[in-house]
Amino acid sequence: MEDKKWSKSKNKKIQVIEVSKNIGYMKFGLDMSLRKRLSFYSTYSMLKLLSENFDVYILSPMMKEDEMLFKYRSLIEMPKWIENIRYIYNKCPDKIDVSDIDILFIECGPCNTMFAKDGNSLVELTFKMLDKFEGKVFYWHHSIPLIFPFGEYFREPNSNVSELNLRKLFKKYDVFGGKEWTILHQAQNEDPYLKITWRGIKLSDALDKLDIKTKYTPYCHWKDDEFLRQDLKKYDIVWVGGRYTSSSSYGMSKKTDRKWIYDKFIRYYNHKIYGKGWGDKICECKYGTAHIRYSEAHCGLWADSEIIQKTGFWTLRPHEILRGTMVAGFKDFYNIEKYLPNYLIFETKEELDDILNYIKDLPLDERYEIRKSIYEKLPCWEDINIFEVIK
């Protein structure tokens, strides 16, 4: 595969054609794990996809259990794809060598500069690696609230703020010079995605000024993910997920509020909610086990906050629902008709009543076959051409 490196100058581009083999991987603002469960599913998935085709160098700190895997890798039988992964994070970031890395891949994470490990701010660690690096940068934006803080680049820091203030970090480190940035996002409808405003700055305006490209990349499942057979159900509907897609600090709380789903539909049925922000209705559900919770109900709802539905932003929700039970999809979710048959799409409570009655009348084996046929239409990692993604 051909790749291009650019000179450090922001104005002058020197093109060098070479074969890319080495990819540096970071988690913005957080440490990492190779495990396929909990909140690490995305990291596991992309690392597996990349390492099956390239040598991958991990630049972010890993959780203790994962560090031990690499420390004793010669004594532990590990999956073959891990053989192409090298853990080169160092407690002293200045000692991390990125000279052999052709592509820097950054997975989205929180902008809280106080998150730290080994005395290092994990956000500043990403800035330091970007400052050292020249070449292609991919920011994988798989969660709406975890936008890279491009807008802060254009603002002057106040005189009395911390040295870890984002605006000061942009002044201290060269994050964009000598680099060709691309945002890998999961919005099927890119126009409203680019209109997202973060702290008063529209995403499209920031990207245009910085000459940053965007590319659609769906969120996927693996074909070997557990797919449950159904048994007798306790509830009509189970909902898994917090009330908000993001915190109100992003200035999008109304557009990210999912309470309308409860008010308009869920509350009228025998239901259970797993997630934060729902008051006394809260039940904990660890990320990555949602399909087990969905299996407690006849149906899960493929519906979301306003911003998710308008953008058609892929999340694991439809995958997890179908792994556990039948699905009903809200009509306004962008492009939902591509994946669900009309008889499982609703707009009103009366239409959802009809869907639930239909599902309850179906034999369990027939439900399983319908779920499987829909699930196979959803994007899966095995079908993603990673060479196309990062070209």
Side-chain angles (χ1 to χ4, degrees):
M1 184 185 74
E2 286 190 339
D3 185 26
K4 302 173 183 178
K5 281 193 174 182
W6 307 103
S7 72
K8 191 72 173 178
S9 168
K10 294 183 181 181
N11 299 315
K12 183 180 179 183
K13 292 183 178 180
I14 303 174
Q15 186 174 343
V16 181
I17 304 298
E18 61 175 294
V19 177
S20 289
K21 295 181 180 178
N22 302 331
I23 293 183
Y25 195 99
M26 303 194 73
K27 178 89 171 178
F28 185 65
L30 288 175
D31 50 6
M32 291 171 43
S33 174
L34 296 177
R35 287 170 287 175
K36 192 181 178 180
R37 59 185 178 85
L38 306 181
S39 58
F40 311 121
Y41 187 91
S42 56
T43 305
Y44 163 90
S45 297
M46 188 56 72
L47 278 175
K48 185 174 187 291
L49 195 64
L50 289 169
S51 66
E52 287 176 342
N53 298 280
F54 305 96
D55 291 327
V56 178
Y57 293 79
I58 294 179
L59 309 176
S60 292
M62 303 200 77
M63 302 187 75
K64 187 173 182 180
E65 298 90 334
D66 299 276
E67 285 185 332
M68 299 305 286
L69 282 177
F70 286 96
K71 186 175 182 179
Y72 299 106
R73 64 189 302 163
S74 62
L75 305 175
I76 302 172
E77 184 177 352
M78 295 190 292
K80 190 172 180 61
W81 61 271
I82 296 182
E83 293 178 4
N84 290 335
I85 295 179
R86 301 290 178 267
Y87 184 45
I88 64 170
Y89 165 76
N90 192 300
K91 295 180 181 180
C92 180
D94 292 337
K95 294 182 179 180
I96 300 176
D97 183 7
V98 300
S99 59
D100 290 332
I101 291 173
D102 303 298
I103 293 173
L104 184 58
F105 198 100
I106 304 171
E107 182 183 350
C108 65
C111 295
N112 189 335
T113 59
M114 301 308 293
F115 290 165
K117 188 166 184 177
D118 302 319
N120 300 308
S121 162
L122 296 178
V123 168
E124 186 178 22
L125 176 65
T126 304
F127 276 67
K128 285 184 177 181
M129 295 305 105
L130 282 165
D131 185 69
K132 291 182 177 187
F133 178 72
E134 292 185 0
K136 284 191 173 184
V137 176
F138 290 89
Y139 185 79
W140 184 29
H141 185 205
H142 59 69
S143 178
I144 277 280
L146 302 181
I147 300 173
F148 191 83
F150 297 108
E152 297 299 311
Y153 175 77
F154 301 101
R155 296 181 171 185
E156 290 296 322
N158 296 327
S159 58
N160 58 344
V161 296
S162 163
E163 291 301 311
L164 291 177
N165 178 274
L166 286 169
R167 299 176 195 178
K168 281 200 171 183
L169 292 179
F170 275 117
K171 295 292 184 184
K172 184 176 181 181
Y173 300 106
D174 190 354
V175 173
F176 303 113
K179 288 162 274 285
E180 183 183 358
W181 274 73
T182 300
I183 307 300
L184 301 177
H185 65 78
Q186 296 170 196
Q188 298 175 79
N189 188 12
E190 189 175 74
D191 185 57
Y193 168 76
L194 292 174
K195 290 179 180 177
I196 290 174
T197 299
W198 191 85
R199 295 185 181 178
I201 297 178
K202 191 185 297 183
L203 180 59
S204 59
D205 291 343
L207 299 188
D208 286 344
K209 291 176 181 178
L210 295 168
D211 194 24
I212 292 175
K213 296 178 290 187
T214 58
K215 185 184 289 187
Y216 167 67
T217 305
Y219 205 103
C220 307
H221 63 263
W222 291 98
K223 290 180 179 178
D224 64 354
D225 286 347
E226 184 180 34
F227 197 91
L228 300 176
R229 285 193 174 272
Q230 292 183 286
D231 51 18
L232 296 177
K233 302 302 174 185
K234 303 179 195 175
Y235 309 103
D236 293 330
I237 293 172
V238 161
W239 173 269
V240 179
R243 174 177 167 179
Y244 292 98
T245 309
S246 73
S247 67
S248 59
S249 64
Y250 285 84
M252 305 189 290
S253 59
K254 183 178 179 181
K255 292 183 179 180
T256 63
D257 194 346
R258 297 171 172 136
K259 189 173 182 293
W260 73 270
I261 306 170
Y262 177 82
D263 292 340
K264 195 170 182 178
F265 300 110
I266 297 175
R267 69 189 181 99
Y268 295 105
Y269 301 95
N270 178 22
H271 68 273
K272 188 166 186 178
I273 291 179
Y274 294 92
K276 297 181 179 180
W278 299 98
D280 58 2
K281 293 180 280 294
I282 183 173
C283 289
E284 289 298 327
C285 175
K286 292 183 177 180
Y287 192 82
T289 62
H291 66 294
I292 298 173
R293 303 306 172 206
Y294 283 120
S295 71
E296 299 172 358
H298 290 287
C299 182
L301 301 184
W302 187 352
D304 219 298
S305 62
E306 177 186 336
I307 190 66
I308 293 290
Q309 295 198 148
K310 281 187 175 181
T311 59
F313 202 90
W314 270 110
T315 68
L316 265 184
R317 184 177 309 283
H319 304 268
E320 295 280 18
I321 292 172
L322 286 163
R323 288 171 61 197
T325 190
M326 290 287 288
V327 64
F330 188 64
K331 179 178 176 289
D332 287 350
F333 199 107
Y334 182 84
N335 215 23
I336 200 166
E337 68 281 354
K338 179 179 178 180
Y339 302 97
L340 292 187
N342 287 335
Y343 64 83
L344 293 177
I345 297 175
F346 66 95
E347 185 175 17
T348 66
K349 179 185 177 297
E350 290 72 27
E351 290 172 343
L352 183 54
D353 288 341
D354 291 341
I355 292 173
L356 273 169
N357 290 332
Y358 166 76
I359 290 172
K360 290 176 181 180
D361 287 340
L362 284 175
L364 293 180
D365 286 346
E366 193 168 340
R367 296 190 200 185
Y368 181 85
E369 293 304 320
I370 292 173
R371 290 164 53 212
K372 266 291 189 181
S373 66
I374 298 171
Y375 190 68
E376 288 170 358
K377 295 180 183 178
L378 303 185
C380 65
W381 289 114
E382 287 89 344
D383 294 336
I384 296 294
N385 184 339
I386 191 62
F387 296 96
E388 287 294 319
V389 172
I390 63 174
K391 74 176 182 179

